[in-house]
C-alpha cells in the first residue's frame, strides 16, 4: 500500500490505520495493495514520501502564498521529502493584462519567499508553473510558464518553461489563449535527481504529447510531473486517462498537482490531484477542495517492472522512427 489521502481539517471523518504511519488530526485512506508477481519491495517506512498539494489560486498573490505555505509546512511535518505545487500556484489572473501585471522574474520577491520556505522546512519543492518575466520581458511583454525545482537549501536546481501552450476552444469551458500572454519554452530539461528519484519536468497541456514523456524517460526519468489547471469539461473526460497512459507507456511514477474550484468569475478548475504508479494504478488522490495527498515512491518496484516488461528494449524505431528523441 503505497498511497494515501490527507483531507483538509474541515473534512475529517475518522482516522484509519496505515502501516508505519501515525497522522493525528487527519483521515487517511490507503490505496488497495497491488497484485505482484515479483519479490517483496522495500520496507514501506523506508520509501521516500512525497506530498501533492491542491489549491484554488486567485489573483491575490499574498493569500495564495499563505495557502501554499500552510500545505508545505504540513507536508514537512508529515515527513515528506518533496512537495509538489500545481501550475499557477502563484496566481490565476482574470485576463492577460492582469497576468502580465502580476508576473515577476525568478529573482523577485515571491520566489525568494519560497526559497526561505524550502530552507525552513528542509523540503524540496516543485513549483509547478510560475508566471516568469524572462530576460526578454522588456522586448516581448510576455511571460514564461516556468516549472521551478528548489532543493532543501532553497537553491534553484532546475527550470523548465512550458513548451506546449494551451490555445483551445472547448464548448462549455470557454476559450483558452495561453499564447496571448505567454511564450513557449525553447527546450526540454534533463531529469533532475531528487531524494524521491529522477524527475522529468512538464506542465499541464504537455501531458497530451507523449513524445515529451518518452524523451524524458529515455533521458533517465523515474517520475514525471504534470502540475496542472485542468478545466471542468476536459477534466472529467481526459485527466485521469492521460495521466495513467503516461505512467503505463513510460513505466514511470506520475505526480500531478492540480488547481481546483472557482478562481474568480471567469475560471474554474477540475482538481483531482493524484499520483499514479508505473503499472498505471492511482495510488493517491486528493479529495474535493484544497488539501494534500501523500504517496511513497518505490523505485525498486519501478525497476522490477521495467525488467519484467522491457518495452523500451522492444521498440522498433526502424519502423516508426524514434518517437521522443532522447535528450542530448
Amino acid at each position: 500500500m503505497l498511497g494515501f489521502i490527507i483531507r483538509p481539517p474541515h473534512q475529517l471523518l475518522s482516522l484509519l490505520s496505515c502501516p508505519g504511519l501515525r497522522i493525528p488530526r487527519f483521515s487517511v485512506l490507503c490505496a488497495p495493495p497491488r497484485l505482484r508477481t515479483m519479490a517483496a519491495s522495500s520496507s514501506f517506512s523506508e520509501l521516500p514520501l512525497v506530498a501533492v498539494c491542491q489549491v484554488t489560486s486567485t489573483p491575490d498573490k499574498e493569500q495564495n502564498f499563505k495557502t501554499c505555505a500552510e500545505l508545505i509546512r504540513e507536508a514537512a511535518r508529515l515527513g515528506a521529502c518533496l512537495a509538489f505545487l500545481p501550475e499557477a500556484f502563484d496566481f490565476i489572473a482574470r485576463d492577460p493584462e492582469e497576468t502580465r501585471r502580476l508576473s515577476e522574474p525568478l529573482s523577485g520577491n515571491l520566489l525568494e519567499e519560497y526559497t526561505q520556505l524550502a530552507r525552513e522546512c528542509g523540503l524540496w519543492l516543485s513549483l509547478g508553473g510560475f508566471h516568469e518575466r524572462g530576460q526578454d520581458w522588456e522586448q516581448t511583454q510576455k511571460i514564461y510558464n516556468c516549472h521551478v525545482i528548489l532543493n532543501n537549501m532553497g537553491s534553484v536546481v532546475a527550470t523548465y518553461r512550458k513548451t506546449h501552450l494551451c490555445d483551445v476552444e472547448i464548448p462549455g469551458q470557454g476559450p483558452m489563449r495561453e499564447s496571448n500572454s505567454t511564450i513557449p519554452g525553447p527546450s526540454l530539461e534533463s531529469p533532475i535527481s531528487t531524494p524521491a528519484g529522477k524527475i522529468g519536468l512538464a506542465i499541464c497541456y504537455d501531458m497530451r504529447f507523449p513524445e515529451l514523456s518518452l524523451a524524458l524517460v529515455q533521458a533517465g526519468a523515474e517520475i514525471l510531473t504534470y502540475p496542472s489547471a485542468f478545466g471542468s469539461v476536459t477534466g472529467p473526460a481526459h485527466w485521469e486517462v492521460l495521466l495513467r497512459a503516461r505512467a503505463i507507456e513510460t513505466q514511470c511514477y506520475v505526480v500531478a498537482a492540480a488547481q481546483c474550484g472557482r478562481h474568480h468569475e471567469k475560471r474554474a478548475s477540475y482538481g483531482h490531484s493524484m499520483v499514479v504508479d508505473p503499472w498505471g494504478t492511482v495510488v493517491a488522490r486528493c479529495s474535493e477542495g484544497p488539501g494534500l495527498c501523500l504517496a511513497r515512491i518505490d523505485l525498486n518496484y519501478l525497476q522490477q517492472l521495467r525488467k519484467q516488461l522491457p518495452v523500451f528494449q522492444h521498440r522498433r524505431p526502424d519502423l516508426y522512427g524514434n518517437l521522443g528523441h532522447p535528450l542530448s
Side-chain angles (χ1 to χ4, degrees):
M1 293 186 282
L2 299 181
F4 38 93
I5 299 168
I6 305 298
R7 289 186 170 84
H10 69 276
Q11 294 182 353
L12 298 187
L13 298 176
S14 61
L15 182 64
L16 305 179
S17 63
C18 195
L21 187 69
R22 292 186 179 89
I23 305 179
R25 302 189 303 107
F26 288 94
S27 65
V28 181
L29 300 183
C30 294
R34 288 190 298 262
L35 295 176
R36 299 194 185 195
T37 59
M38 54 196 71
S41 185
S42 304
S43 170
F44 179 85
S45 62
E46 296 174 356
L47 299 175
L49 183 68
V50 300
V52 186
C53 302
Q54 182 166 282
V55 301
T56 307
S57 292
T58 71
D60 186 338
K61 292 169 66 175
E62 183 177 353
Q63 183 56 50
N64 295 338
F65 175 74
K66 289 180 180 178
T67 299
C68 291
E70 180 181 357
L71 291 174
I72 289 168
R73 290 190 176 101
E74 187 61 26
R77 188 186 71 80
L78 295 171
C81 64
L82 196 156
F84 294 83
L85 294 181
E87 182 182 30
F89 68 94
D90 49 354
F91 65 86
I92 291 183
R94 297 177 181 86
D95 53 54
E97 180 53 41
E98 189 173 44
T99 294
R100 286 187 281 266
R101 179 172 59 81
L102 294 175
S103 64
E104 298 184 18
L106 292 181
S107 58
N109 293 333
L110 184 61
L111 203 64
E112 176 59 28
E113 289 187 280
Y114 278 98
T115 292
Q116 293 176 15
L117 186 62
R119 260 194 315 261
E120 169 198 328
C121 295
L123 198 64
W124 284 61
L125 299 179
S126 163
L127 306 178
F130 176 77
H131 295 85
E132 178 204 3
R133 293 187 183 184
Q135 294 181 349
D136 53 3
W137 166 254
E138 295 297 334
Q139 293 77 37
T140 66
Q141 293 294 294
K142 287 189 174 184
I143 57 99
Y144 292 96
N145 190 341
C146 184
H147 188 161
V148 181
I149 301 292
L150 300 179
N151 67 15
N152 59 347
M153 299 301 291
S155 299
V156 175
V157 295
T159 55
Y160 161 74
R161 292 163 179 90
K162 188 178 182 181
T163 50
H164 301 98
L165 301 186
C166 189
D167 287 0
V168 300
E169 293 190 22
I170 306 296
Q173 191 169 286
M176 172 73 73
R177 289 285 180 271
E178 191 172 11
S179 64
N180 285 347
S181 60
T182 306
I183 302 171
S187 63
L188 304 184
E189 174 73 16
S190 295
I192 182 73
S193 293
T194 77
K198 290 185 178 180
I199 293 182
L201 304 183
I203 301 173
C204 197
Y205 192 57
D206 286 334
M207 76 176 69
R208 294 184 181 275
F209 302 90
E211 297 89 346
L212 185 153
S213 60
L214 291 171
L216 290 173
V217 71
Q218 290 178 82
E222 298 162 322
I223 303 166
L224 301 177
T225 181
Y226 294 101
S228 298
F230 247 57
S232 55
V233 173
T234 54
H238 298 160
W239 172 249
E240 182 174 325
V241 174
L242 286 168
L243 294 174
R244 294 180 68 189
R246 297 295 83 84
I248 293 167
E249 72 194 4
T250 62
Q251 298 177 319
C252 284
Y253 280 90
V254 167
V255 178
Q259 293 281 344
C260 67
R262 181 153 293 280
H263 310 289
H264 45 69
E265 65 278 7
K266 294 183 178 180
R267 188 167 174 187
S269 293
Y270 178 62
H272 294 77
S273 303
M274 65 178 63
V275 180
V276 186
D277 75 8
W279 186 252
T281 302
V282 178
V283 295
R285 69 170 81 230
C286 283
S287 56
E288 297 299 323
L292 60 84
C293 65
L294 301 170
R296 299 278 182 185
I297 303 297
D298 187 344
L299 296 182
N300 286 337
Y301 170 62
L302 179 148
Q303 294 301 331
Q304 290 168 359
L305 179 59
R306 290 180 178 182
K307 183 178 180 180
Q308 292 192 338
L309 190 60
V311 293
F312 282 91
Q313 296 177 29
H314 300 156
R315 301 187 74 83
R316 292 290 306 274
D318 57 312
L319 300 181
Y320 43 71
N322 192 7
L323 304 176
H325 294 278
L327 304 179
S328 57

